[in-house]
């Protein structure tokens, strides 16, 4: 599986965990019920996914959102909320003091590690063959340590995620590699 497909599949698994379920199709993960705030109602898994793989399986009313993992969907009635870039992260720079944190409103599951060091927080989610890095907050200088903490939480797995704007620049300046574009659409 290529890096972007692996990142998209991990992200869909993370969204399914947060949403408490959903439907896995061959080209997309979808949720019939509105997902928690900041989480999409669908994530494409392959570049050949179409609106027909998504729209019949989601609540398409106002507020519906779709993560177009390959930035190639045509979704009538939707507009692009933001564009981002899938990234692969190196092993990071280990820093003492990163520890597992409790709470923060994320699911409690063996595949999830919420990690913190001072004001910085990051979430690690073990997917199929990769670990997803998400919800990073903290100063940019904490990024390499966050990547290392995610890698240490699930050793031996490549670290993937996505970022946009200043957060993407921070990740790229600190060694992340671009895997390809994605879009988030909203109705």
């Amino acid at each position: 599986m290529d890096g972007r497909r692996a990142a998209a599949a991990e992200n869909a698994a993370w969204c399914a965990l947060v949403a408490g379920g959903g439907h896995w199709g061959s080209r997309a993960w979808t949720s019939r019920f509105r997902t928690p705030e900041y989480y999409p109602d669908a994530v494409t898994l392959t570049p050949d996914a179409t609106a027909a793989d998504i729209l019949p399986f989601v609540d398409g009313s106002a507020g519906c959102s779709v993560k177009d993992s390959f930035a190639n969907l045509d979704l009538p009635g939707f507009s692009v909320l933001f564009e981002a870039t899938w990234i692969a992260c190196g092993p990071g720079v280990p820093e003492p003091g990163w520890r597992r944190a409790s709470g923060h409103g994320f699911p409690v599951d063996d595949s999830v590690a919420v990690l913190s060091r001072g004001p910085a927080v990051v979430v690690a989610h073990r997917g199929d063959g990769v670990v997803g890095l998400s919800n990073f907050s903290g100063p940019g200088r904490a990024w390499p340590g966050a990547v290392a903490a995610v890698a240490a939480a699930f050793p031996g797995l490549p670290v993937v995620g996505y970022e946009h704007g200043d957060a993407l620049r921070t990740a790229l300046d600190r060694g992340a590699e671009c895997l390809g574009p994605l879009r988030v659409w909203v109705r």
Side-chain angles (χ1 to χ4, degrees):
M1 183 180 295
D2 71 46
R4 189 159 43 159
R5 283 184 191 234
E10 179 283 320
N11 189 260
W14 170 241
C15 293
L17 181 63
V18 171
H23 170 75
W24 289 92
S26 61
R27 295 190 272 193
W29 168 83
T30 56
S31 176
R32 284 216 180 272
F33 304 101
R34 195 53 48 84
T35 56
E37 188 175 18
Y38 306 117
Y39 289 88
D41 299 304
V43 178
T44 61
L45 302 172
T46 65
D48 60 344
T50 67
D53 296 308
I54 297 163
L55 298 181
F57 307 103
V58 297
D59 171 355
S61 63
C64 179
S65 63
V66 174
K67 187 171 289 168
D68 176 3
S69 300
F70 300 88
N72 59 4
L73 281 178
D74 180 21
L75 292 175
F78 285 72
S79 59
V80 174
L81 179 64
F82 67 86
E83 295 185 342
T85 301
W86 292 110
I87 57 174
C89 304
V93 179
E95 295 175 347
W98 282 91
R99 60 179 175 72
R100 286 187 183 245
S102 59
H104 293 279
F106 295 105
V108 175
D109 188 272
D110 289 344
S111 68
V112 177
V114 179
L115 306 155
S116 68
R117 178 178 186 255
V121 176
V122 67
V123 176
H125 172 255
R126 183 187 64 239
D128 186 16
V130 296
V131 59
L133 179 156
S134 66
N135 299 286
F136 172 74
S137 65
R141 68 181 181 280
W143 176 264
V147 172
V150 167
F154 298 104
L157 296 176
V159 177
V160 297
Y162 74 90
E163 295 293 350
H164 64 99
D166 290 341
L168 176 60
R169 280 186 288 285
T170 295
L172 295 176
D173 288 348
R174 288 161 175 83
E177 295 179 27
C178 295
L179 296 177
L182 69 107
R183 290 187 187 117
V184 174
W185 297 81
V186 66
R187 174 169 278 164

